[in-house]
Amino acid sequence: MRKSSWEIIIAGFFFVGIAIYLIESKSEPEYSTSAASSDSVLVEFDQEQRHVIHLKKIEDLQSLQALQNLENLKGLEKLQDLEKLKGLANFMPAEVKAEFIDEINEAIKEFEEESLDIQIDIDQGLIAINKARDVTPGSWNRVSPGVFAYVTDFNASSLEDAEINLPFGSITVQGTDSETATLTIQASGQVSSPAELEKQLITQSDINSSSAKFQIQSSKSNTGDENIHLQATLNIPSNTSVLMNTKAGHIKSSNISGDQNYQTDGGHISLDHLNGKIEARTSGGHITISDAKGTFNLRSFGGHIRAQDSEGNFRMKTSGGNLQAHNFRGKLDASTNGGNIEIRYIDVTGITSATTGAGTITIWVPSNSPANIDLTGNTVELDSSLDFRGEKSTGKATGSLKSGGSLIKAKTNYGKVILKPAN
């Protein structure tokens, strides 16, 4: 259980309040939590959610006003006052006592390195604690206990391509209208300082007017670190070409129109509002794409692939998952070794090839769409409302819908092929 130092101090206030309450409750009747605001403290930090702590004697917190005179706790002469919070551990169960003391020690360590802006209003019962940190662009900075950030901004007015390579962790890419690009990499886990993080990760960047490349490598012999999680977020102009690669993590991308290549060895890929030439590959995850237009090469070695509300030239291939193309228009080549295939056309404008080793292939076509069909399976089913002209047997159907048009070819070695109207 890891908390920030702010939570430790607030917890201290809370336990002080409990102690005051227990003492007073021996001689005074129980009070109602709906009492006036004078017996509660409103705590707000980092502009996050506010919490109310009820106390019997708000005036006991007046001594905290001295904290308002502090700007940098590094030179605090009375830092030992925080040690007094350890005394609260005597009132705690044995199983949490040691952890509480460790958290206090961590808070003291952090306060020696941080600057604070503390505002206390006794009349209003408000304690506001805000952190002030110096952030160095292009290097690792601690933002909270166990959480570090690498942040860099750069001019992207002439940027043509961007690349990120991670040994592990997730990547998010967001296209914008700005001429400034921003990369934020967050690292979290069992790391105590930026110096320790830099010993475990080698961070490299190469930025010029037309390209930006960022690479993180693990200093260890393996490609991952169980104690660290990485999250990279890149905001770039929408027309930039991108190459995103992580060895173990998810990838998300939105609003990009340049050439795109997304690769992960162990996560999902989620893409939306894309345009251009797109390649996405994952070894063990799913691929989903929506509201996209262009040329797509989508490959998963062990997951499902789904395209929704998209148009273009699609190639989908998975070794053991299902394939779906819903509300689709264009050319489609879909193959899976052991899953089902679903294709729902807006209209039939390109050649379709759908193949599965063992599964059902279901295709929906608008009833007024002309097409040529070549369907093979253990069983082939054609809806009677379709205007089919050709030859039909139990496991085979060849011919045309209406006057004929683009070819729809589907084959399953063990399963059904079903053709039905979409409306």
Side-chain angles (χ1 to χ4, degrees):
M1 177 176 65
R2 176 59 56 189
K3 302 182 179 70
S4 69
S5 55
W6 326 117
E7 291 173 296
I8 293 300
I9 297 306
I10 299 310
F13 295 154
F14 179 71
F15 284 115
V16 169
I18 293 177
I20 295 172
Y21 174 78
L22 292 175
I23 293 172
E24 294 295 330
S25 64
K26 293 181 180 180
S27 58
E28 296 181 14
E30 183 178 357
Y31 72 97
S32 170
T33 56
S34 61
S37 61
S38 61
D39 61 354
S40 65
V41 177
L42 183 61
V43 181
E44 180 180 341
F45 47 98
D46 286 348
Q47 297 182 347
E48 295 181 359
Q49 185 176 359
R50 297 180 177 183
H51 306 272
V52 176
I53 300 173
H54 293 282
L55 302 175
K56 287 296 292 183
K57 289 187 177 181
I58 187 66
E59 61 270 18
D60 289 340
L61 293 182
Q62 290 179 346
S63 60
L64 294 176
Q65 285 181 302
L67 291 176
Q68 289 178 286
N69 298 323
L70 302 178
E71 292 182 357
N72 194 317
L73 291 178
K74 191 172 183 178
L76 179 60
E77 295 180 358
K78 293 185 179 182
L79 192 58
Q80 63 270 23
D81 288 345
L82 291 177
E83 295 279 352
K84 296 179 181 179
L85 286 177
K86 294 181 182 179
L88 295 172
N90 296 324
F91 300 96
M92 297 181 179
E95 58 268 21
V96 298
K97 180 177 179 179
E99 184 179 5
F100 181 78
I101 292 177
D102 288 343
E103 296 289 354
I104 293 296
N105 289 334
E106 179 66 22
I108 292 173
K109 179 180 177 181
E110 287 185 45
F111 283 167
E112 290 176 340
E113 302 173 352
E114 296 176 351
S115 298
L116 297 180
D117 176 24
I118 302 177
Q119 301 293 328
I120 300 176
D121 188 335
I122 292 297
D123 294 333
Q124 298 296 323
L126 176 65
I127 303 173
I129 305 174
N130 297 299
K131 293 177 287 187
R133 295 182 180 273
D134 294 327
V135 176
T136 304
S139 63
W140 289 103
N141 301 269
R142 183 167 67 173
V143 295
S144 64
V147 180
F148 304 84
Y150 176 99
V151 181
T152 184
D153 296 332
F154 54 95
N155 187 324
S157 57
S158 301
L159 188 67
E160 297 178 1
D161 55 82
E163 179 178 345
I164 295 178
N165 291 285
L166 298 184
F168 49 86
S170 57
I171 300 174
T172 299
V173 183
Q174 177 65 51
T176 70
D177 295 330
S178 175
E179 293 187 347
T180 299
T182 302
L183 172 67
T184 302
I185 305 176
Q186 179 177 290
S188 59
Q190 299 179 17
V191 183
S192 61
S193 67
E196 181 182 347
L197 182 62
E198 290 170 359
K199 289 181 180 179
Q200 299 189 45
L201 299 177
I202 301 172
T203 306
Q204 299 175 317
S205 64
D206 183 8
I207 304 173
N208 57 50
S209 61
S210 62
S211 67
K213 182 178 180 178
F214 303 93
Q215 179 168 305
I216 294 181
Q217 295 176 303
S218 175
S219 60
K220 299 183 179 181
S221 58
N222 58 352
T223 58
D225 192 319
E226 296 179 354
N227 297 326
I228 300 176
H229 174 72
L230 296 178
Q231 166 66 60
T233 302
L234 178 63
N235 294 287
I236 55 172
S238 297
N239 60 351
T240 307
S241 295
V242 299
L243 171 58
M244 301 292 124
N245 182 19
T246 177
K247 300 299 182 183
H250 305 314
I251 297 176
K252 293 183 179 181
S253 183
S254 179
N255 198 35
I256 300 295
S257 59
D259 291 346
Q260 301 156 61
N261 191 316
Y262 307 98
Q263 299 184 31
T264 174
D265 289 345
H268 307 314
I269 299 177
S270 178
L271 312 172
D272 69 275
H273 292 89
L274 303 184
N275 196 337
K277 184 179 180 181
I278 295 97
E279 182 167 348
R281 186 185 69 184
T282 174
S283 297
H286 308 315
I287 299 175
T288 59
I289 186 166
S290 62
D291 296 314
K293 184 177 182 179
T295 300
F296 302 86
N297 185 6
L298 312 176
R299 175 70 188 271
S300 175
F301 289 92
H304 309 313
I305 301 176
R306 176 183 174 88
Q308 176 78 34
D309 300 321
S310 297
E311 177 181 353
N313 186 342
F314 278 75
R315 184 173 186 267
M316 300 179 177
K317 186 173 183 179
T318 179
S319 298
N322 301 326
L323 302 176
Q324 293 180 328
H326 286 187
N327 295 335
F328 172 79
R329 177 188 287 113
K331 181 180 179 180
L332 177 64
D333 182 359
S335 64
T336 174
N337 291 338
N340 300 324
I341 299 176
E342 294 183 359
I343 305 169
R344 185 182 293 271
Y345 278 102
I346 296 175
D347 54 57
V348 182
T349 58
I351 298 173
T352 299
S353 175
T355 305
T356 179
T360 298
I361 301 176
T362 307
I363 302 172
W364 291 266
V365 296
S367 57
N368 60 350
S369 290
N372 292 324
I373 63 171
D374 182 357
L375 312 179
T376 304
N378 294 128
T379 303
V380 173
E381 298 179 1
L382 297 180
D383 191 280
S384 59
S385 65
L386 294 173
D387 185 8
F388 171 71
R389 303 171 187 178
E391 298 180 359
K392 168 73 169 63
S393 63
T394 301
K396 185 76 173 176
T398 56
S400 64
L401 300 179
K402 292 190 174 294
S403 58
S406 297
L407 176 63
I408 299 176
K409 185 174 182 177
K411 179 180 180 180
T412 175
N413 294 329
Y414 300 96
K416 291 182 179 181
V417 177
I418 303 171
L419 187 66
K420 57 177 64 176
N423 46 19

